[in-house]
Amino acid sequence: MKKILSILFTAYKSYIVYIHDIIWLNLILILRLIVIITLYKYLYANYSSDDLIKGYTLTQITYAVIIAQVVSSSKPRIIDEVSNDVKTGKVSVYLLNPINYIVFKFLEFFPVFIQNVWFGLIFGWLVWFLMIGSFPITLAWFFGWLLLLIWSMLVVFFSYTFIAILAFYTEDVEAFRFIYAKFDMIFWWNILPIPFLPWFLQTIAYLSPFAYFWYTSWLVFVSFDLILFLKYLSIQLFWLILTIFACIILFSKASKKLTINWW
């Protein structure tokens, strides 16, 4: 436990040293939210006669936009980090550590992910309240939303870690990252809300893990339903277990094939 806490503390200290990066990240997030929320306000003002589009209000849609943009912009650059470790041979040092490399990277990067999301939500909600107004929040909604959000962050982290481990097999993982990121953008509500997509794309989205990265936490938040909450929680658990085991299996095989300086 002492080693784990030490890694967490060191990672946190290393991150907050670059305070200008945190400020810049949130400034970009604020500008993106202002532009996107302004566009949705125009859309609802000019193309909605009953304050609903696809069954959702402006308040609900713009809240979802905040969650999407916050989680998307807060993801740690785990793919770049692992790829750099392999290319430079730095990974050989990490492999000698008493802690598994994947566990080490999780302890190093997930606290950064949490902090980025926390700051992003603060600034995102501030923009939202200034541009849209308040939203009725209940205790059940809040805790249901929080649990699904945290679990979705875990699924996001380990799915991107899986792509990162491919660096052990190929010199450059940029192609894999690019393809995965594009699916991410389409089915994660980074381009259009999932309800706005054609039906067949919605079906694909719900069969994939992307819809459960954050979209389900938004659905529970705007309209809490216990049955729906348990359903989404179980699906998230399935994808979380699958991505974790996929990372463990791929890494166990990849680490045996790693060659650094002919060793």
Side-chain angles (χ1 to χ4, degrees):
M1 180 59 68
K2 186 177 180 181
K3 293 177 182 178
I4 293 174
L5 292 176
S6 177
I7 294 171
L8 290 172
F9 182 68
T10 303
Y12 178 75
K13 284 182 63 178
S14 300
Y15 177 68
I16 61 176
V17 165
Y18 302 99
I19 189 66
H20 56 278
D21 288 341
I22 301 175
I23 296 173
W24 182 247
L25 176 67
N26 285 285
L27 282 176
I28 294 176
L29 174 64
I30 290 172
L31 291 175
R32 287 167 63 180
L33 289 176
I34 290 175
V35 171
I36 294 173
I37 292 175
T38 300
L39 290 173
Y40 274 112
K41 288 180 70 174
Y42 176 82
L43 181 66
Y44 271 79
N46 291 275
Y47 298 99
S48 175
S49 58
D50 55 358
D51 296 326
L52 293 173
I53 295 181
K54 295 292 185 177
Y56 296 101
T57 65
L58 174 64
T59 301
Q60 293 173 328
I61 290 293
T62 50
Y63 168 74
V65 167
I66 289 175
I67 302 297
Q69 294 300 320
V70 167
V71 177
S72 177
S73 62
S74 299
K75 296 192 301 288
R77 298 183 177 276
I78 183 68
I79 295 178
D80 294 339
E81 181 71 15
V82 173
S83 179
N84 184 64
D85 287 347
V86 174
K87 288 179 180 179
T88 60
K90 190 177 178 181
V91 68
S92 60
V93 178
Y94 290 128
L95 293 176
L96 295 176
N97 288 341
I99 297 179
N100 180 275
Y101 179 71
I102 301 301
V103 175
F104 179 81
K105 287 302 177 183
F106 175 80
L107 295 174
E108 185 179 23
F109 279 93
F110 200 70
V112 174
F113 196 4
I114 293 175
Q115 179 169 289
N116 286 342
V117 169
W118 173 244
F119 279 119
L121 287 175
I122 291 175
F123 290 112
W125 278 332
L126 179 60
V127 172
W128 187 49
F129 286 133
L130 291 175
M131 297 185 68
I132 302 297
S134 60
F135 190 87
I137 300 175
T138 66
L139 201 60
W141 283 6
F142 177 78
F143 283 109
W145 163 81
L146 183 62
L147 180 58
L148 288 177
L149 179 64
I150 293 174
W151 282 39
S152 68
M153 290 168 62
L154 289 168
V155 178
V156 169
F157 180 87
F158 284 107
S159 61
Y160 273 88
T161 299
F162 180 83
I163 302 298
I165 298 173
L166 294 176
F168 285 77
Y169 288 93
T170 181
E171 183 177 352
D172 190 0
V173 295
E174 179 58 25
F176 298 104
R177 186 206 63 78
F178 179 83
I179 295 172
Y180 190 79
K182 296 313 169 188
F183 281 111
D184 191 329
M185 290 177 63
I186 295 172
F187 299 121
W188 191 4
W189 203 328
N190 259 348
I191 297 178
L192 284 174
I194 292 177
F196 289 15
L197 295 174
W199 181 250
F200 76 96
L201 287 180
Q202 290 189 45
T203 303
I204 295 174
Y206 284 117
L207 291 175
S208 73
F210 301 104
Y212 306 96
F213 280 178
W214 67 269
Y215 177 65
T216 50
S217 66
W218 164 73
L219 286 177
V220 169
F221 185 84
V222 298
S223 182
F224 184 79
D225 179 87
L226 182 59
I227 301 300
L228 197 62
F229 168 73
L230 294 176
K231 173 186 175 182
Y232 289 147
L233 192 67
S234 60
I235 295 175
Q236 273 194 344
L237 178 61
F238 167 77
W239 283 113
L240 179 58
I241 294 174
L242 183 64
T243 52
I244 289 176
F245 271 98
C247 287
I248 292 173
I249 294 172
L250 184 63
F251 177 73
S252 65
K253 294 181 178 298
S255 59
K256 296 175 183 177
K257 294 180 177 294
L258 181 65
T259 301
I260 300 176
N261 293 333
W262 307 106
W263 293 95

